[in-house]
Amino acid sequence: MAKILYCKEIAETIKQEIKQNTEKLIAEKGIRPGLAILLVGNDPGSKAYVNSKERTCKELGFHSLIRREEENFSEEEVIKLVKTWNEDDSIHGILVQLPLPKHINERKVIETILPRKDVDGFHPENVGRLVIGLDSFVPCTPAGIIELIRREKIETKGKHVVVAGRSNIVGKPIANLLLQKKENANAIVTICHTAAKDLKQYTRQADILIAAMGAPELIDSDYLKDDVVIIDVGYNRVEDKKEAKGYRIAGDVHFEDAKAKAAAITPVPGGVGLMTIAMLMLNTLKAAAGEIQF
Ligand code: GUN
């Protein structure tokens, strides 16, 4: 039976560390980390994420600036706002919540953010730096996975990590991070995705499986090798009439079925999602302290 890798305690510990270092930065240098967030539209998931990011800023003593705009907010207005934040010395991190409405070009917006304020790590300069192993902002969910691996002492050197999913936010960056010749990495990495004729053929080879496809409970025990370590990045709303809200949150892994076969597994909710916000705060603190050398 698998060890369940609850992330609440680890995320709380990281946040306490950030809070202490924030107080130190304020006392010694007079710099309070500032995070600006733009939310466009009414997607319920995005709204909940932004609320949670705002709450965490308050909790850690950060300066936060949250702009919530209607669906019809234009691309020009988004670009103009980002440029204002680029110039604002009280703002160290800029986050534009994705996905953006269809009339706004996401790439154009991301490329407007100054790389040194790009706490999401989505700007091509940060992406490129990550791939070649230079200091960079690392996207928050992959950074959280590495931090979980480090704190839980999960062996990665020479292990076969299979990443299911190829998004720019999770799949590609986590594969690149685990490939690096470094502590808590140095793995043999396979990326598989929806074009695979037989996904199981790949996932069954995994010593460590990172599920990041956005397909609710797709991975069951049939996809797994004995004693695999499973990191479930999925966060899906699935209809459930038994729940008061009419839905429940499910990962990409069928938790109950998988846990009998795995050595360890992260739950959803209560798993890596909690690490993501902690890493966003850490990136903002690093931006404020000028820790990433460009
Ligand atoms: N939407 C889903 N995940 C993320 C994230 O990590 N950053 C941003 N900006 N938007 C997201």
Side-chain angles (χ1 to χ4, degrees):
M1 195 62 97
K3 174 182 181 187
I4 302 175
L5 302 168
Y6 295 105
C7 295
K8 191 160 193 266
E9 217 171 287
I10 302 176
E12 284 306 318
T13 305
I14 296 170
K15 284 196 279 181
Q16 283 316 311
E17 291 166 5
I18 296 170
K19 196 170 178 191
Q20 282 168 13
N21 287 326
T22 298
E23 282 161 11
K24 206 162 149 226
L25 188 66
I26 295 168
E28 289 175 3
K29 300 224 172 108
I31 301 170
R32 182 181 297 276
L35 177 63
I37 302 179
L38 172 62
L39 169 67
V40 184
N42 292 302
D43 177 72
S46 292
K47 274 183 166 173
Y49 287 136
V50 170
N51 288 344
S52 162
K53 288 165 187 172
E54 182 177 26
R55 258 198 323 274
T56 313
C57 279
K58 292 218 164 68
E59 201 186 309
L60 301 188
F62 284 21
H63 164 54
S64 63
L65 194 56
I66 319 290
R67 282 281 297 265
R68 294 176 174 85
E69 295 292 343
E70 295 299 326
E71 187 81 19
N72 63 2
F73 201 58
S74 72
E75 183 178 290
E76 291 70 37
E77 287 171 301
V78 174
I79 302 279
K80 193 165 158 229
L81 185 59
V82 168
K83 285 184 174 165
T84 311
W85 287 343
N86 278 342
E87 298 296 315
D88 184 341
D89 289 339
S90 72
I91 299 298
H92 307 96
I94 299 173
L95 184 145
V96 177
Q97 187 66 32
L98 303 178
L100 283 166
K102 294 228 169 5
H103 65 273
I104 303 173
N105 181 333
E106 266 178 22
R107 285 291 1 143
K108 206 164 151 189
V109 172
I110 289 168
E111 287 174 30
T112 305
I113 299 171
L114 280 178
R116 65 179 168 82
K117 295 194 177 190
D118 170 36
V119 286
D120 260 327
F122 295 165
H123 189 285
E125 188 168 332
N126 279 307
V127 176
R129 293 176 67 95
L130 184 149
V131 172
I132 58 175
L134 294 177
D135 209 11
S136 70
F137 283 108
V138 176
C140 304
T141 300
I145 294 171
I146 298 291
E147 199 54 29
L148 175 68
I149 285 171
R150 188 172 79 81
R151 296 198 186 225
E152 288 287 339
K153 300 185 169 56
I154 297 167
E155 180 64 83
T156 51
K157 185 179 173 185
K159 299 286 181 191
H160 189 186
V161 177
V162 176
V163 179
R166 55 176 152 182
S167 71
N168 291 331
I169 296 183
V170 182
K172 285 181 203 158
I174 192 61
N176 274 293
L177 285 165
L178 287 165
L179 197 59
Q180 290 172 347
K181 199 169 179 179
K182 274 189 185 168
E183 287 279 296
N184 307 300
N186 214 358
I188 316 304
V189 180
T190 298
I191 309 181
C192 56
H193 47 77
T194 46
K197 284 206 181 74
D198 181 15
L199 196 65
K200 284 178 195 161
Q201 178 194 335
Y202 303 97
T203 58
R204 277 179 185 161
Q205 295 179 41
D207 299 316
I208 300 173
L209 177 65
I210 302 191
M213 299 158 298
E217 297 174 336
L218 177 85
I219 308 268
D220 62 19
S221 56
D222 204 29
Y223 285 70
L224 307 172
K225 175 167 95 172
D226 279 333
D227 294 326
V228 57
V229 173
I230 303 173
I231 297 178
D232 189 355
V233 187
Y235 199 89
N236 311 289
R237 283 185 181 202
V238 295
E239 196 184 293
D240 188 341
K241 298 218 166 63
K242 293 195 291 291
E243 298 285 329
K245 290 179 188 159
Y247 68 87
R248 66 186 169 86
I249 299 295
D252 286 353
V253 178
H254 193 297
F255 184 80
E256 287 305 323
D257 192 47
K259 93 175 174 201
K261 207 162 183 181
I265 181 168
T266 60
V268 179
V272 284
L274 299 172
M275 302 293 288
T276 300
I277 293 195
M279 300 319 281
L280 171 65
M281 299 298 137
L282 187 59
N283 278 352
T284 306
L285 176 62
K286 284 182 182 173
E291 252 179 55
I292 313 277
Q293 296 296 318
F294 284 95

